Amino acid sequence: MSDKPTIIDFHSHIASEMCFPKSFQDGVVDNMTVALASRGLPVTRDKVARMHGGTLTDPLCDELVRQMDEAGISESVLLLPDFTYALKDSTHTIEELIDHHKAVVERHPGRFRVLVGVDPRWGADGLALFEKAIVDYRFDGMKLYPPCGYKLSDDLLYPYYEICAQYALPVLSHIGATSPVLDFEIAQPIYVDKAARDFPGIDFVLAHGSVHYPDEVAMLCNNRPNVYVDVSGYEAFGATALNTLFRRGINHKILFGTDWPVFRLQGRQESLVGKLYKEGAFPESMSEADKELFFHKNAARLLAKNKLKTPTSTPSPVSSRKA
């Protein structure tokens, strides 16, 4: 691992069916089936469903840690989107999923951070649960999934943003397309703009921004000091698509991310990292310093702001916050 770059993967998930409702998975399988069948491959939907299910077999992240070691990934940020409000076939409550992520972090000390999602429509109970995850469990920020039915500048999110601002925690949001069971239109990056203005102390990360709305994302990153982008999803489009992103003057805003286990069928973590070099993701003019920013320094800078992980922090109790 000594000849590999130090890496923080800012976009990963626990590979378990408990984290993804069946309706969400069914939509993914439908798209995979259409894509494979159109190439003349002898596949049935049932076979594709079994292949997809085979990627969700690492609930405690033991295999992920092994692959992180191979690839030189020192830490991964586990993202926990809350599908449980929008998709009623979820097998676990969001509280149960939060507790499971806590168990994974404790099982692998020093290897994982967690950005936790709670759908803002859960009301006061959801807000209290989110604050418990941040203050008691020491999770590292918020994960949002607008395709579930809300915009990034929705007033319902502002109490959550106040907590994130208080402790200097990042907010990462999915943007663009996802499983066809959910809403794409509501997940446009421009909807972060008002929130980014109203909460200058929060770093907002637009996930998949190298492949979904890349021009709009680059505009926001160039002009909003607290807007960032992760490159998760590059695996589906080819790493050369990143070459343009790295020439936009925002290398201090770009975060590495694999979206594990979404692209698990395409190879191990090590091969996904290697793909960046083999397919010419980096412009010849890109400095080694900028590559270090991309692979780990940008992520480390955002995560290091967490006031709850400094010795002088004194969190206020949930009960003292306004409902």
Side-chain angles (χ1 to χ4, degrees):
M1 290 174 55
S2 60
D3 59 339
K4 298 174 182 176
T6 300
I7 299 173
I8 297 176
D9 183 350
F10 210 81
H11 192 128
S12 61
H13 304 273
I14 292 179
S16 174
E17 290 188 343
M18 69 187 295
C19 298
F20 303 95
K22 186 177 184 301
S23 57
F24 184 98
Q25 295 184 55
D26 284 347
V28 172
V29 169
D30 288 342
N31 276 333
M32 291 173 62
T33 303
V34 170
L36 293 171
S38 69
R39 293 173 172 83
L41 297 174
V43 297
T44 64
R45 190 187 183 285
D46 287 345
K47 182 177 180 179
V48 174
R50 289 194 298 271
M51 292 168 55
H52 172 69
T55 68
L56 300 175
T57 55
D58 188 29
L60 296 176
C61 292
D62 296 339
E63 174 61 23
L64 176 54
V65 168
R66 284 190 287 270
Q67 293 200 26
M68 287 166 59
D69 289 342
E70 291 176 357
I73 298 173
S74 60
E75 284 186 290
S76 287
V77 178
L78 295 174
L79 306 178
L80 173 53
D82 181 6
F83 298 119
T84 65
Y85 187 95
L87 301 179
K88 301 306 182 184
D89 59 338
S90 301
T91 60
H92 292 68
T93 68
I94 187 58
E95 185 171 13
E96 290 170 336
L97 292 172
I98 288 172
D99 286 342
H100 183 78
H101 280 68
K102 178 176 181 287
V104 169
V105 171
E106 292 172 346
R107 181 180 179 89
H108 302 286
R111 303 309 301 272
F112 293 112
R113 310 290 190 107
V114 178
L115 302 189
V116 57
V118 176
D119 193 296
R121 293 166 293 187
W122 285 122
D125 289 343
L127 184 64
L129 179 60
F130 176 74
E131 190 161 20
K132 175 184 176 182
I134 295 299
V135 175
D136 295 346
Y137 292 0
R138 292 297 198 265
F139 285 176
D140 291 87
M142 190 170 197
K143 160 66 174 178
L144 295 175
Y145 217 87
C148 286
Y150 53 84
K151 294 181 180 179
L152 285 173
S153 293
D154 194 307
D155 288 345
L156 290 174
L157 285 169
Y158 273 45
Y160 292 85
Y161 290 160
E162 289 172 2
I163 295 173
C164 293
Q166 179 181 355
Y167 300 123
L169 305 177
V171 172
L172 182 145
S173 177
H174 177 98
I175 61 168
T178 177
S179 170
V181 73
L182 294 173
D183 182 0
F184 299 172
E185 184 179 9
I186 203 169
Q188 297 180 48
I190 196 61
Y191 292 136
V192 79
D193 192 53
K194 183 177 185 298
R197 293 198 317 271
D198 290 344
F199 293 92
I202 294 177
D203 294 313
F204 290 89
V205 181
L206 301 175
H208 316 300
S210 63
V211 292
H212 294 170
Y213 306 102
D215 293 334
E216 190 171 297
V217 167
M219 177 272 292
L220 287 163
C221 289
N222 264 309
N223 295 285
R224 294 287 177 209
N226 57 332
V227 175
Y228 291 73
V229 55
D230 85 37
V231 303
S232 58
Y234 70 86
E235 300 92 336
F237 295 85
T240 52
L242 299 181
N243 196 287
T244 300
L245 187 68
F246 288 128
R247 289 186 281 109
R248 289 183 180 269
I250 56 170
N251 289 341
H252 61 298
K253 293 291 194 72
I254 305 173
L255 306 169
F256 174 77
T258 64
D259 206 3
W260 163 277
V262 174
F263 296 97
R264 195 172 176 183
L265 290 174
Q266 297 188 22
R268 301 177 71 80
Q269 294 280 74
E270 186 176 32
S271 65
L272 297 181
V273 174
K275 185 176 183 177
L276 295 167
Y277 294 94
K278 292 177 182 178
E279 295 191 0
F282 304 117
E284 291 185 6
S285 60
M286 188 172 178
S287 67
E288 290 302 313
D290 276 1
K291 291 177 185 176
E292 289 181 355
L293 288 175
F294 165 64
F295 275 121
H296 72 100
K297 287 189 175 180
N298 289 337
R301 188 172 69 252
L302 267 59
L303 294 169
K305 296 180 181 181
N306 188 337
K307 293 180 180 179
L308 286 169
K309 293 189 174 179
T310 60
T312 57
S313 63
T314 305
S316 59
V318 175
S319 59
S320 69
R321 193 176 300 280
K322 293 181 180 179

